[in-house]
Amino acid sequence: MIYFRSDYSQGAHPKVMEALMKTNMEHTDGYGLDAHCEHASQMIRELIGIEDCEVHMMVGGTPCNVTIIAASLKPYESVIAVRSGHAYFHETGGVEATGHRIVAMEGENGKLTPELIDRAWDEYEDEHTPLPRMVYISQPTEIGSIYNKSEMKALADKCKERDMLLYVDGARLGSALTCRENDLNLKELASFCDAFYIGGTKNGALFGEALVIKNKQMRDHFRFMMKRQCGLLAKGRLIGVQFEALLDGGMDSIYFSMAAHANQLASELREGLSKMNVRFYSESQTNQVFPILPVEVVRELENDFFFYEWAPEKEGMIPIRLVTAWGTEKADIREFLEKTRKIMKMQE
Amino acid sequence: MIYFRSDYSQGAHPKVMEALMKTNMEHTDGYGLDAHCEHASQMIRELIGIEDCEVHMMVGGTPCNVTIIAASLKPYESVIAVRSGHAYFHETGGVEATGHRIVAMEGENGKLTPELIDRAWDEYEDEHTPLPRMVYISQPTEIGSIYNKSEMKALADKCKERDMLLYVDGARLGSALTCRENDLNLKELASFCDAFYIGGTKNGALFGEALVIKNKQMRDHFRFMMKRQCGLLAKGRLIGVQFEALLDGGMDSIYFSMAAHANQLASELREGLSKMNVRFYSESQTNQVFPILPVEVVRELENDFFFYEWAPEKEGMIPIRLVTAWGTEKADIREFLEKTRKIMKMQE
Amino acid sequence: MIYFRSDYSQGAHPKVMEALMKTNMEHTDGYGLDAHCEHASQMIRELIGIEDCEVHMMVGGTPCNVTIIAASLKPYESVIAVRSGHAYFHETGGVEATGHRIVAMEGENGKLTPELIDRAWDEYEDEHTPLPRMVYISQPTEIGSIYNKSEMKALADKCKERDMLLYVDGARLGSALTCRENDLNLKELASFCDAFYIGGTKNGALFGEALVIKNKQMRDHFRFMMKRQCGLLAKGRLIGVQFEALLDGGMDSIYFSMAAHANQLASELREGLSKMNVRFYSESQTNQVFPILPVEVVRELENDFFFYEWAPEKEGMIPIRLVTAWGTEKADIREFLEKTRKIMKMQE
Amino acid sequence: MIYFRSDYSQGAHPKVMEALMKTNMEHTDGYGLDAHCEHASQMIRELIGIEDCEVHMMVGGTPCNVTIIAASLKPYESVIAVRSGHAYFHETGGVEATGHRIVAMEGENGKLTPELIDRAWDEYEDEHTPLPRMVYISQPTEIGSIYNKSEMKALADKCKERDMLLYVDGARLGSALTCRENDLNLKELASFCDAFYIGGTKNGALFGEALVIKNKQMRDHFRFMMKRQCGLLAKGRLIGVQFEALLDGGMDSIYFSMAAHANQLASELREGLSKMNVRFYSESQTNQVFPILPVEVVRELENDFFFYEWAPEKEGMIPIRLVTAWGTEKADIREFLEKTRKIMKMQE
């Protein structure tokens, strides 16, 4: 069985495991108050070129999203996001559990735009309506598309105009930054937003995300919020150690080479499928591919490959999601394409 | 200044005030545990023809909506509603404050349909998504439209199919039931849903709504929820006394005659405006009228009439909302129509 | 049946009803945005001698407590209160429903002290513990005792030292201020705290409390919080009208004479019972009396009087609560004392 | 520097690391839906002798506590715990963040008793008070004491009598079960309660706790609650793999031998300190030791040892906490005792 199920189906990149083994018997203080977390944070500050920010080592993406939103908003304030955004779509109402509404908008190719933000504001009147105060986006989006530099800037400008905070969910940030079509680099991304996280779980770590908070108000007592929202790990140093390994070498680190590798293989999948005249559910440019295939083809493929069906069958066709990762191999792609070609031929 | 601002701009119908005066010096137990509340509840049970239900006297509509939702759902469960629904649109996130998502759908003329419910379910997958468990509708809707008998039945059927609860916000229930275009009566409405409330605030009471809960699970410890959610009035009997007065005479009570009166005057407004070729923002059939008027006309009218602008100006036109109530007089309608005609003429 | 059940067993003082009748047919804007609310607020500003504050007309005491706490605290912050305090003891966890802990301390005669506040702080360490940020007291307390001027000052000083907010639940504020043993006046009370409310429900109103917020941060977007927490009344002017009537005449208004009347009758109850060698559950100085009586006496009294048993039976004795109010008459007291004397004699 | 700071200052037991390395390149499904989690769960079912239960792999202790409480209680229900209990004392109000009160009682040597539960119930009356529905205890307690078999049984009986759920926080469960003074075994513990967790973080895992839910109602949709409360790990299999390693060999596994080792060294610490006539802050019988030492001694010790001061200085004495773990060595104990003896001698 070949896995295109997710980018978190294996353990960690061998260099990450090596770092964990090497530091295993060290004694440190708990809860992220250790030299590894401090060192990893400093590496990140340098990478993004911003000294004046806080970096918090979080267990996962949902804790990042829920905690930063709960920490940043007053009770009557809301978040604007696209309906397919992870915080709305795939976190079982974790944000609402903290008392905040996500104003969910139909995105354009999975993306939020300044116009959509304005439209969300049309629902705001006065004390009878929640007050929009944060924009949540994922970079790349849940369906693999990216915000390029001018799109990011437009969102940042709109947020300033509306006195809103801009937060970027970077679960697959490496994938967005190493995407060939993208003209946005890490420093620019960091400069545009109030907070974002650098995702580890989906890019070669066992788990862990590095949440960067630039905005001073959002930082206030953040560790209290981490603990309250179940996001403070006892052996916090584990995340620090992993990010030291992931980011060792800066822009030449495995963090970026793993993401580039996954993107590359996804491109090959997309190209191979396009040649078979397959259409796609979304215009993804990163490590996710969403071909729409005949039901019978999908059923056959399921014998050898493990992946998600992404939406219900419609007129005999099903959109599936194929995810590549640091551990995906060229041979996996080749095999998938060959198998698909063969099945499709047989079905003709 | 003539008020078309809302149906709660005056005090109470004189008969309601009389009842409050007459019972004022009585001593009773607090929190709705008194003979007036019990009597009013029994009157309601008879009116709806359902003995096996609980009736709770609530202070207002928002407490009704928030409390019944918080009481009925498990933490991970959500409510489906239209985007213009009161619980979503005009309660400042009161429902989300209790930890639940409202899955907001674009309504059709302000209404939810079985198809929209199915579409909301498309967002549901498994433990990564909230589980839809309640349908919230207003009867009439926030923009004055009504669900007729077959529409109500279709929603009730869909709810049963999906194992969902059906809850009806009856802030203006009298208006829906006395609407000439409606073929739905109170007993039928009660039979279709799991819970609903009979609104007093917007139909001649000082304040107060009678929440009827048929579903046994939703009743469980409901008074605990009322207290917890700030909806239990110390002198609860005040609501009981008011409903005794409002519903005295059953279907011939002032509750229904006041609503019919308001509907009638709204019809006259609509007809008068239609004759001037005014278009409307929504197809209202009840006591709200939403004409779209030129900005200059609106500005002139504001000198003599008090009403809401319902949506932002667009190409020189503004939709306004005119609400009639038990205290609105025929002369008010006449004056509004005459004034409007005069202004529009001058503007030509 | 004579009622000593509560100070909210009757409707409103006749002057309050008169004001409601007189203004009943007026049209005003909703939600407290009307001239009566504004006028009543101004009357209060003058009474307390503080111009720079907000006054909000709230439906009841629990909504006051829950809303001001939810509005003032960050998610990880907590409130210190005595275990018998209303917000802890009798609001079904309404405060916790907004995500905040009440750090509950055993009070001294129902009161909080600077030492108890310090002891509550002993539980605070760092990001692993909630951060105490508000002190909640009732004046008078739930068991009828009062904070005199020096006690109030000591609490206020401790709050400043600890950077905490001081909030006073004034459900029975009239009773505290007209208590003969009290050397604290309204202006002083107002000067000591960050926010407090002037209770109407338990002192002659149908319902309604006037919440005074001095502290600027606590005022921020407070009306949003009122709506979100179900505490914004559609016909808000009803509370304004009632407070106009209650406070008409300032310190000579019925608000204070009603409270003084209730206190006076409670004193007579206490004195009469003391002469029969009855002991008391608490040292109340206001309109509540807590005699501890033999079970048999209580059972006999229950035939003619309606009151709460305040705590479980212990060794044949039960503490009961007798509450006097504006509507209580001298004859009620006389009858209670005579009856009690007679029963106790028979039991000897 | 020798660490007595906590039982989570190192990484994982070498056998745990070995298992993680060995399985690192495997592909599995996410979120705990993999063969390792299933296998570990089955190992636990066999160890506790209960087939009919759910086992969930949780990231940490706070997520366990918060999620099981939020999943099990209705909004108006509360938890009874001792004031020093972890869920009350050291989780920054995580439970209250889900809307539930912890009714906090002063424990006896850190323990809850049936009498204390009854006393907590004295605060319950009716719909005006939260309804106690769960008892939360830690085994061992936060201050190292244990509930023996008859104490556990008494709590379980009281819970049944009161219709309450019994939940056991087993962050250091191994330590309680291998304590020489304890007559309670794992099967008995499991039989007494409705849910409990087997702590990994504080006993040799990198992180992770295995939550066992026997009670059917508490299991309902639990994975939804895990996701909503931020407790569902993407690479959930990591916890399964760790528990496979920890529990390999059953009662002879490293899980129990590590705990016994830590207990043994703690005993030696206690005995050594007792011989120096040191008094203790609590009667701990497990892997935590709480000597009360002169300030000057503590200051000297801090040069060579890392530990918590457990409570503020009082009359020149400070209670400190010394924790032993699987990685603590006999030499560490020897050195601490020798150093202490030397310093104390010098100070005489």
Side-chain angles (χ1 to χ4, degrees):
Chain A
M1 183 70 70
I2 292 176
Y3 275 65
F4 292 113
R5 178 76 163 178
S6 72
D7 24 22
Y8 41 94
S9 67
Q10 291 184 288
H13 187 283
K15 288 208 175 164
V16 170
M17 292 308 289
E18 194 186 306
L20 287 171
M21 289 298 285
K22 215 176 96 187
T23 58
N24 188 52
M25 299 305 282
E26 288 180 17
H27 286 268
T28 66
D29 202 356
Y31 306 108
L33 301 172
D34 62 89
H36 294 290
C37 285
E38 187 39 45
H39 179 220
S41 300
Q42 197 48 40
M43 288 167 77
I44 288 169
R45 285 195 192 90
E46 278 159 32
L47 259 177
I48 65 174
I50 296 172
E51 195 54 38
D52 183 16
C53 65
E54 279 188 7
V55 182
H56 295 282
M57 299 299 164
M58 307 287 296
V59 175
T62 299
C64 277
N65 296 338
V66 169
T67 309
I68 194 75
I69 289 171
S72 303
L73 302 190
K74 290 182 182 148
Y76 50 86
E77 293 178 336
S78 63
V79 189
I80 300 174
V82 292
R83 210 141 178 136
S84 58
H86 200 271
Y88 184 81
F89 193 43
H90 266 151
E91 301 185 357
T92 321
V95 169
E96 289 88 349
T98 69
H100 299 284
R101 172 176 298 173
I102 301 179
V103 180
M105 309 302 290
E106 292 296 340
E108 296 178 8
N109 193 28
K111 289 190 274 184
L112 208 57
T113 64
E115 293 68 38
L116 285 169
I117 294 174
D118 283 340
R119 211 177 305 157
W121 270 87
D122 285 349
E123 288 182 10
Y124 172 72
E125 290 175 355
D126 53 21
E127 61 260 42
H128 294 265
T129 46
L131 177 56
R133 179 86 174 108
M134 186 189 276
V135 161
Y136 164 97
I137 61 167
S138 306
Q139 172 76 305
T141 70
E142 291 307 298
I143 54 172
S145 54
I146 54 163
Y147 294 90
N148 65 22
K149 194 163 153 183
S150 73
E151 288 168 326
M152 276 295 300
K153 187 177 180 320
L155 289 178
D157 288 347
K158 176 55 73 181
C159 284
K160 267 196 202 88
E161 177 200 324
R162 292 282 196 183
D163 191 23
M164 298 183 82
L165 304 166
L166 179 56
Y167 166 65
V168 180
D169 178 335
R172 295 186 174 95
L173 191 61
S175 193
L177 295 175
T178 60
C179 166
R180 278 175 304 184
E181 286 88 344
N182 206 352
D183 62 349
L184 180 78
N185 67 37
L186 177 57
K187 286 188 184 178
E188 289 160 349
L189 178 129
S191 77
F192 285 135
C193 63
D194 292 283
F196 70 102
Y197 78 84
I198 303 174
T201 300
K202 291 173 178 167
N203 194 24
L206 285 183
F207 64 90
E209 336 289 322
L211 177 62
V212 179
I213 316 182
K214 286 167 51 193
N215 184 297
K216 283 226 166 65
Q217 253 186 306
M218 293 167 84
R219 297 184 210 170
D220 181 45
H221 284 81
F222 192 77
R223 284 176 59 81
F224 285 70
M225 290 302 296
M226 285 173 70
K227 182 66 193 166
R228 181 187 189 258
Q229 299 303 133
C230 301
L232 193 61
L233 192 69
K235 302 190 183 179
R237 63 104 169 288
L238 297 174
I239 312 177
V241 166
Q242 291 182 82
F243 271 96
E244 286 178 315
L246 288 170
L247 297 173
D248 184 33
M251 299 308 296
D252 299 322
S253 63
I254 54 169
Y255 188 80
F256 296 100
S257 61
M258 286 190 291
H261 167 82
N263 280 351
Q264 171 59 29
L265 295 191
S267 288
E268 295 178 15
L269 261 179
R270 261 189 299 273
E271 281 160 35
L273 289 162
S274 291
K275 281 187 194 147
M276 302 177 221
N277 295 317
V278 167
R279 282 175 318 106
F280 296 92
Y281 178 79
S282 90
E283 287 177 52
S284 171
Q285 296 157 306
T286 49
N287 71 321
Q288 300 186 94
V289 184
F290 298 85
I292 305 175
L293 296 172
V295 182
E296 306 78 30
V297 176
V298 171
R299 295 292 163 259
E300 281 293 317
L301 286 169
E302 282 170 345
N303 294 324
D304 298 303
F305 304 94
F306 193 41
F307 51 80
Y308 276 102
E309 301 185 14
W310 199 248
E313 180 191 327
K314 228 167 118 178
E315 300 170 14
M317 305 294 284
I318 298 180
I320 66 169
R321 185 184 77 161
L322 305 171
V323 189
T324 56
W326 59 274
T328 310
E329 292 174 30
K330 244 179 173 341
D332 301 337
I333 306 300
R334 212 162 34 227
E335 198 165 331
F336 185 87
L337 291 174
E338 272 168 27
K339 205 91 177 193
T340 306
R341 202 173 300 122
K342 206 184 296 178
I343 298 170
M344 291 182 80
K345 226 168 222 162
M346 277 170 50
Q347 307 263 350
E348 275 170 28
Chain B
M1 184 68 71
I2 293 175
Y3 275 65
F4 292 113
R5 178 77 163 176
S6 71
D7 24 22
Y8 41 92
S9 68
Q10 291 185 288
H13 187 283
K15 287 207 174 166
V16 170
M17 291 309 289
E18 196 186 305
L20 288 170
M21 287 299 284
K22 216 175 96 186
T23 57
N24 189 54
M25 299 305 282
E26 288 179 16
H27 286 270
T28 64
D29 201 355
Y31 305 108
L33 301 172
D34 62 272
H36 294 290
C37 285
E38 186 40 44
H39 179 219
S41 298
Q42 197 48 38
M43 289 167 76
I44 289 168
R45 283 195 192 91
E46 281 160 28
L47 260 177
I48 63 175
I50 295 172
E51 195 53 38
D52 183 16
C53 64
E54 279 188 8
V55 182
H56 294 281
M57 299 298 164
M58 307 286 296
V59 175
T62 299
C64 277
N65 296 339
V66 169
T67 310
I68 194 74
I69 290 171
S72 304
L73 303 190
K74 290 183 183 146
Y76 50 86
E77 293 178 336
S78 64
V79 189
I80 300 174
V82 292
R83 209 142 179 136
S84 58
H86 200 271
Y88 185 81
F89 193 42
H90 267 152
E91 300 186 356
T92 321
V95 168
E96 287 89 349
T98 69
H100 299 284
R101 172 177 298 174
I102 301 180
V103 179
M105 309 302 290
E106 292 296 339
E108 296 179 8
N109 194 29
K111 291 190 275 185
L112 208 58
T113 62
E115 292 68 37
L116 286 168
I117 293 173
D118 283 339
R119 213 177 304 157
W121 271 87
D122 285 350
E123 287 182 11
Y124 172 71
E125 288 174 357
D126 53 20
E127 61 259 42
H128 294 265
T129 47
L131 177 57
R133 179 84 174 110
M134 186 188 277
V135 161
Y136 164 98
I137 61 167
S138 306
Q139 172 76 304
T141 70
E142 291 307 299
I143 54 171
S145 53
I146 52 164
Y147 292 91
N148 64 24
K149 197 163 149 183
S150 72
E151 288 169 328
M152 277 295 300
K153 189 179 177 319
L155 289 178
D157 289 347
K158 176 55 73 183
C159 284
K160 266 195 204 88
E161 177 199 326
R162 292 283 196 183
D163 191 23
M164 298 184 81
L165 305 165
L166 179 56
Y167 166 66
V168 180
D169 178 335
R172 296 186 172 96
L173 190 63
S175 194
L177 295 175
T178 60
C179 166
R180 279 175 306 185
E181 285 88 344
N182 205 353
D183 61 350
L184 179 78
N185 66 36
L186 178 56
K187 286 187 185 180
E188 290 160 350
L189 178 129
S191 77
F192 285 135
C193 63
D194 291 283
F196 71 102
Y197 77 85
I198 303 175
T201 299
K202 290 174 177 168
N203 194 22
L206 285 182
F207 63 90
E209 336 288 323
L211 177 62
V212 179
I213 315 182
K214 286 167 52 194
N215 184 296
K216 283 225 167 68
Q217 251 187 307
M218 292 167 84
R219 298 183 206 170
D220 181 46
H221 285 81
F222 192 77
R223 284 176 59 79
F224 286 71
M225 290 302 294
M226 285 174 69
K227 182 65 193 170
R228 182 185 188 260
Q229 298 302 133
C230 299
L232 193 61
L233 193 69
K235 301 189 183 180
R237 60 101 168 291
L238 298 173
I239 312 176
V241 166
Q242 292 183 82
F243 271 96
E244 286 177 314
L246 289 170
L247 296 174
D248 184 33
M251 297 309 295
D252 299 321
S253 65
I254 56 170
Y255 188 79
F256 295 100
S257 61
M258 287 190 292
H261 168 81
N263 279 352
Q264 171 60 27
L265 295 190
S267 287
E268 295 178 17
L269 261 180
R270 260 190 300 271
E271 281 160 35
L273 289 163
S274 291
K275 281 186 194 148
M276 302 177 220
N277 295 317
V278 167
R279 283 174 319 107
F280 297 92
Y281 179 78
S282 89
E283 287 177 53
S284 170
Q285 297 157 305
T286 50
N287 71 321
Q288 301 186 91
V289 184
F290 298 85
I292 304 175
L293 297 171
V295 181
E296 306 78 29
V297 176
V298 171
R299 294 291 163 260
E300 280 293 315
L301 286 169
E302 282 169 345
N303 294 324
D304 298 303
F305 304 94
F306 193 42
F307 52 79
Y308 276 102
E309 302 184 15
W310 201 247
E313 181 192 326
K314 226 166 118 178
E315 300 171 17
M317 305 295 284
I318 297 180
I320 66 169
R321 184 185 77 160
L322 305 170
V323 189
T324 55
W326 59 275
T328 310
E329 294 174 27
K330 246 180 172 339
D332 300 338
I333 306 300
R334 213 160 36 226
E335 199 165 330
F336 185 86
L337 291 174
E338 274 168 28
K339 206 89 175 198
T340 305
R341 202 173 299 123
K342 206 184 295 177
I343 298 171
M344 291 183 78
K345 224 164 225 166
M346 277 172 48
Q347 306 264 350
E348 276 171 24
Chain C
M1 184 69 71
I2 293 174
Y3 275 65
F4 291 114
R5 178 76 163 177
S6 72
D7 24 22
Y8 41 92
S9 67
Q10 291 185 287
H13 186 283
K15 288 205 173 166
V16 170
M17 292 308 289
E18 196 186 306
L20 288 170
M21 288 299 284
K22 217 175 95 185
T23 59
N24 188 53
M25 299 305 283
E26 289 179 15
H27 286 270
T28 64
D29 201 357
Y31 305 109
L33 301 172
D34 62 272
H36 294 291
C37 286
E38 186 41 44
H39 179 219
S41 298
Q42 197 48 38
M43 287 167 78
I44 288 169
R45 284 195 192 90
E46 280 160 29
L47 260 177
I48 64 173
I50 295 171
E51 197 52 40
D52 183 17
C53 64
E54 279 188 8
V55 183
H56 295 282
M57 299 298 164
M58 307 286 295
V59 174
T62 299
C64 277
N65 296 339
V66 168
T67 310
I68 194 74
I69 290 170
S72 303
L73 302 190
K74 291 183 182 146
Y76 51 85
E77 292 177 336
S78 63
V79 189
I80 300 173
V82 293
R83 210 140 177 138
S84 57
H86 200 272
Y88 184 81
F89 193 42
H90 267 151
E91 301 186 355
T92 321
V95 169
E96 287 89 349
T98 69
H100 299 285
R101 172 177 297 173
I102 302 180
V103 179
M105 309 301 290
E106 293 295 339
E108 296 180 7
N109 194 29
K111 290 190 275 186
L112 207 57
T113 63
E115 292 69 36
L116 285 169
I117 294 173
D118 283 339
R119 214 177 303 158
W121 271 87
D122 285 350
E123 287 181 11
Y124 172 71
E125 288 174 357
D126 54 20
E127 62 260 40
H128 294 265
T129 47
L131 177 57
R133 179 82 175 112
M134 185 189 277
V135 161
Y136 164 98
I137 61 167
S138 306
Q139 171 75 305
T141 68
E142 291 307 299
I143 55 170
S145 55
I146 53 164
Y147 293 91
N148 65 24
K149 196 164 151 181
S150 73
E151 287 169 329
M152 278 293 301
K153 189 178 178 319
L155 289 178
D157 289 348
K158 175 56 71 182
C159 283
K160 267 195 204 90
E161 177 199 325
R162 292 283 196 183
D163 191 24
M164 298 183 82
L165 304 165
L166 180 57
Y167 167 65
V168 180
D169 178 335
R172 296 186 173 97
L173 191 63
S175 194
L177 295 175
T178 59
C179 165
R180 278 175 306 184
E181 285 89 343
N182 205 352
D183 61 349
L184 180 79
N185 66 37
L186 178 57
K187 287 189 182 177
E188 290 161 349
L189 179 129
S191 77
F192 285 135
C193 63
D194 292 281
F196 71 103
Y197 78 85
I198 303 175
T201 300
K202 290 175 177 168
N203 194 23
L206 285 182
F207 64 91
E209 337 288 324
L211 178 61
V212 179
I213 315 183
K214 289 166 51 194
N215 185 297
K216 283 225 167 68
Q217 253 187 305
M218 293 167 84
R219 297 184 208 171
D220 181 46
H221 285 79
F222 192 77
R223 285 177 58 81
F224 285 70
M225 291 301 295
M226 285 174 70
K227 182 66 192 167
R228 181 186 188 261
Q229 298 303 133
C230 301
L232 193 60
L233 193 69
K235 302 191 182 179
R237 61 101 164 297
L238 298 174
I239 313 177
V241 167
Q242 291 184 82
F243 270 97
E244 287 178 314
L246 288 170
L247 297 174
D248 183 34
M251 298 309 296
D252 298 322
S253 64
I254 55 170
Y255 188 80
F256 295 101
S257 61
M258 286 191 292
H261 167 82
N263 279 352
Q264 171 60 28
L265 294 190
S267 287
E268 294 179 16
L269 261 180
R270 261 190 299 273
E271 280 160 35
L273 289 163
S274 290
K275 280 186 194 149
M276 302 177 220
N277 294 316
V278 167
R279 283 174 318 108
F280 296 92
Y281 178 79
S282 89
E283 287 177 53
S284 169
Q285 295 157 307
T286 50
N287 71 322
Q288 299 186 94
V289 185
F290 298 85
I292 304 175
L293 296 172
V295 182
E296 305 79 28
V297 175
V298 171
R299 294 292 163 258
E300 281 293 315
L301 287 168
E302 282 169 346
N303 294 324
D304 299 303
F305 305 94
F306 193 42
F307 52 80
Y308 275 103
E309 300 184 15
W310 200 247
E313 182 192 326
K314 225 167 117 178
E315 300 172 14
M317 306 294 286
I318 298 179
I320 66 170
R321 184 184 78 160
L322 305 170
V323 188
T324 56
W326 59 275
T328 310
E329 295 175 28
K330 243 180 173 343
D332 301 337
I333 306 299
R334 213 160 36 226
E335 200 165 328
F336 184 87
L337 291 175
E338 272 168 28
K339 206 88 173 199
T340 306
R341 202 173 299 121
K342 208 184 294 177
I343 299 170
M344 291 184 78
K345 224 164 225 163
M346 277 171 50
Q347 306 264 352
E348 276 171 25
Chain D
M1 183 72 68
I2 293 175
Y3 275 64
F4 292 113
R5 179 74 163 179
S6 71
D7 23 22
Y8 41 93
S9 67
Q10 290 184 289
H13 187 283
K15 288 207 173 165
V16 170
M17 292 308 290
E18 195 186 306
L20 288 170
M21 288 299 285
K22 217 175 96 188
T23 59
N24 188 54
M25 299 305 282
E26 287 180 17
H27 286 270
T28 65
D29 202 356
Y31 305 109
L33 301 172
D34 62 272
H36 294 290
C37 286
E38 188 39 45
H39 179 219
S41 299
Q42 197 47 39
M43 287 168 78
I44 288 169
R45 284 194 192 90
E46 278 159 32
L47 258 177
I48 64 174
I50 296 172
E51 196 53 38
D52 183 16
C53 65
E54 279 187 7
V55 182
H56 295 282
M57 299 298 164
M58 307 286 296
V59 174
T62 299
C64 278
N65 295 338
V66 168
T67 309
I68 193 76
I69 289 171
S72 304
L73 302 191
K74 291 184 180 144
Y76 51 86
E77 293 178 334
S78 63
V79 190
I80 300 173
V82 293
R83 209 142 179 136
S84 58
H86 200 272
Y88 184 81
F89 193 42
H90 267 150
E91 300 184 357
T92 321
V95 169
E96 287 89 349
T98 69
H100 299 285
R101 172 176 298 172
I102 301 180
V103 179
M105 310 301 291
E106 292 295 339
E108 295 178 8
N109 194 29
K111 290 190 275 184
L112 207 57
T113 63
E115 293 69 38
L116 285 169
I117 293 173
D118 283 338
R119 214 178 301 158
W121 271 87
D122 286 349
E123 287 181 11
Y124 172 72
E125 289 175 355
D126 53 21
E127 61 259 41
H128 294 266
T129 47
L131 177 56
R133 180 84 174 110
M134 186 189 276
V135 161
Y136 164 96
I137 61 167
S138 306
Q139 171 77 307
T141 70
E142 291 307 298
I143 55 172
S145 54
I146 52 163
Y147 293 90
N148 65 24
K149 195 163 152 183
S150 72
E151 287 169 328
M152 277 295 298
K153 188 178 180 319
L155 289 178
D157 289 346
K158 175 56 72 181
C159 284
K160 270 199 201 85
E161 176 199 324
R162 293 282 196 183
D163 191 24
M164 299 183 81
L165 304 165
L166 179 57
Y167 167 64
V168 180
D169 178 335
R172 295 186 174 96
L173 190 63
S175 195
L177 295 175
T178 59
C179 166
R180 278 175 304 184
E181 286 88 345
N182 206 353
D183 61 350
L184 180 78
N185 66 36
L186 178 56
K187 287 189 183 178
E188 288 160 350
L189 179 129
S191 77
F192 286 135
C193 62
D194 292 282
F196 71 102
Y197 78 83
I198 302 175
T201 300
K202 290 174 178 167
N203 194 24
L206 285 182
F207 64 90
E209 337 287 323
L211 178 61
V212 179
I213 316 182
K214 287 167 51 192
N215 184 297
K216 283 225 166 68
Q217 253 186 306
M218 294 168 85
R219 297 184 209 169
D220 181 47
H221 284 82
F222 193 77
R223 284 176 58 83
F224 285 70
M225 290 301 296
M226 284 174 70
K227 182 65 193 168
R228 181 187 189 258
Q229 299 302 133
C230 301
L232 192 62
L233 193 70
K235 302 190 183 180
R237 62 105 168 285
L238 297 175
I239 312 177
V241 168
Q242 291 182 81
F243 271 96
E244 286 178 314
L246 288 170
L247 297 174
D248 183 33
M251 298 308 296
D252 299 322
S253 65
I254 55 170
Y255 188 78
F256 295 101
S257 61
M258 286 191 291
H261 167 82
N263 279 352
Q264 170 61 26
L265 294 190
S267 287
E268 294 178 15
L269 260 180
R270 260 190 299 274
E271 279 161 36
L273 289 162
S274 291
K275 280 187 193 147
M276 301 177 221
N277 294 316
V278 167
R279 283 176 317 108
F280 297 92
Y281 178 78
S282 89
E283 287 177 53
S284 170
Q285 295 157 305
T286 50
N287 71 321
Q288 301 186 90
V289 184
F290 298 86
I292 305 175
L293 297 171
V295 181
E296 304 79 29
V297 176
V298 171
R299 294 293 162 258
E300 281 292 316
L301 287 168
E302 282 169 345
N303 293 325
D304 298 303
F305 304 94
F306 194 40
F307 51 80
Y308 277 103
E309 301 185 15
W310 199 248
E313 181 193 325
K314 226 166 120 179
E315 300 172 15
M317 305 294 284
I318 297 180
I320 67 170
R321 184 183 77 160
L322 306 171
V323 189
T324 56
W326 60 275
T328 310
E329 295 174 27
K330 243 178 173 343
D332 301 336
I333 307 300
R334 213 162 34 228
E335 198 163 332
F336 185 85
L337 290 174
E338 271 168 27
K339 206 89 173 197
T340 306
R341 202 173 300 123
K342 206 184 295 177
I343 298 171
M344 290 183 79
K345 222 163 227 167
M346 277 170 50
Q347 306 264 350
E348 275 170 26

